[in-house]
Amino acid sequence: MTNIYSEIREAAEPLGIPGRALAIGAHPDDIEFGAGGTLARWAAAGCHVTMLVVTDGSKGSWDPNVDPVELADRRTAEQAEAAAALGAAEVVQLDYVDGELEYSMELRRRLCEQIRLAQPDVLLSHDPWKRYQIHPDHRATGLGATDAMVAARDPLFFPDMDVAPHRPEAMLLWAADEPDHWEPIAETFSTKLTALLCHSSQGETTMGDAQANDDARDSFEAKIRAWAERNAAGTDFGLAEAFKRLTP
């Protein structure tokens, strides 16, 4: 049956290596979890990768005594290290307060501006329509990114913005509710893992305390590998990241 919605593509082969890519994540480490292997593969082939992190990560701890300012500074440093591991060209941080991000026209405008500045061939972000996505920052970021993509392409949105409109060729949403596009990451799986482990402040909260010892690290690696294997089911990739692909 032909899909009547032009924005939604049928399952397709992996994208060609884009010249430029912009990934928009709510927190430090979100991009690495969702698209780290794909971005590493593209960067190694010459793609200019920009990683945009919307919040400061200042609530990313289970320790009630941690200083949020110090945590935000640590996560900024971790993000820079992870971006270098992936081969990303630059990191942009908007520094909204972690856990307090709300969808707004200001957020749409700021993300629109970043899309126009970065001029990505491919835009990546959270799927805001994922059922039962409980983190408000993920929902707000995904919705802001998709709406900003529409604004960025059309000149009558924010006409006072001193940046030319830009239309990406594709948008990929990670952690998709209904994935229909897969990118191979077998060759860059270890790079994705290295980038994730740069976020040592998140060891307890999202990585099974992977920094504690070799057994914990191996357990975390096995979990991420199993997830990539499930993503690759039905493909010839071995390991993959899955997305919903939209046509801007």
Side-chain angles (χ1 to χ4, degrees), residues 191-210:
T191 304
K192 175 187 176 86
L193 187 68
T194 297
L196 283 168
L197 292 172
C198 289
H199 296 277
S200 58
S201 67
Q202 303 307 290
E204 181 183 15
T205 59
T206 62
M207 300 184 191
D209 216 11

Side-chain angles (χ1 to χ4, degrees), residues 20-24 31 39 48-52 88-92 118:
R20 302 178 68 86
L22 170 63
I24 300 176
I31 296 171
L39 294 175
H48 184 284
V49 173
T50 299
M51 302 175 73
L52 188 157
E90 58 184 323
V91 177
V92 176

Side-chain angles (χ1 to χ4, degrees), residues 9 17 29 48 58 64 75-76 109 121 127 134 146 222 227:
R9 297 287 299 271
I17 303 299
D29 85 7
H48 184 284
S58 59
R75 299 197 70 183
T76 295
R109 180 187 178 92
D121 301 305
D127 180 356
I134 64 172
T146 52
W227 173 64

Side-chain angles (χ1 to χ4, degrees), residues 28 56-58 60-61 63 66-82 93 197-204 209 211:
D56 60 7
S58 59
S61 174
D63 180 358
V66 73
D67 184 326
V69 175
E70 292 180 359
L71 178 60
D73 288 344
R74 179 177 175 184
R75 299 197 70 183
T76 295
E78 291 171 351
Q79 184 61 71
E81 185 180 358
Q93 297 194 232
L197 292 172
C198 289
H199 296 277
S200 58
S201 67
Q202 303 307 290
E204 181 183 15
D209 216 11
Q211 282 77 16

Side-chain angles (χ1 to χ4, degrees), residues 73-112:
D73 288 344
R74 179 177 175 184
R75 299 197 70 183
T76 295
E78 291 171 351
Q79 184 61 71
E81 185 180 358
L86 293 180
E90 58 184 323
V91 177
V92 176
Q93 297 194 232
L94 299 188
D95 289 329
Y96 285 90
V97 177
D98 187 0
E100 301 179 20
L101 185 67
E102 295 181 327
Y103 181 81
S104 65
M105 287 301 295
E106 181 210 21
L107 177 63
R108 190 195 302 191
R109 180 187 178 92
R110 292 189 70 184
L111 293 178
C112 169

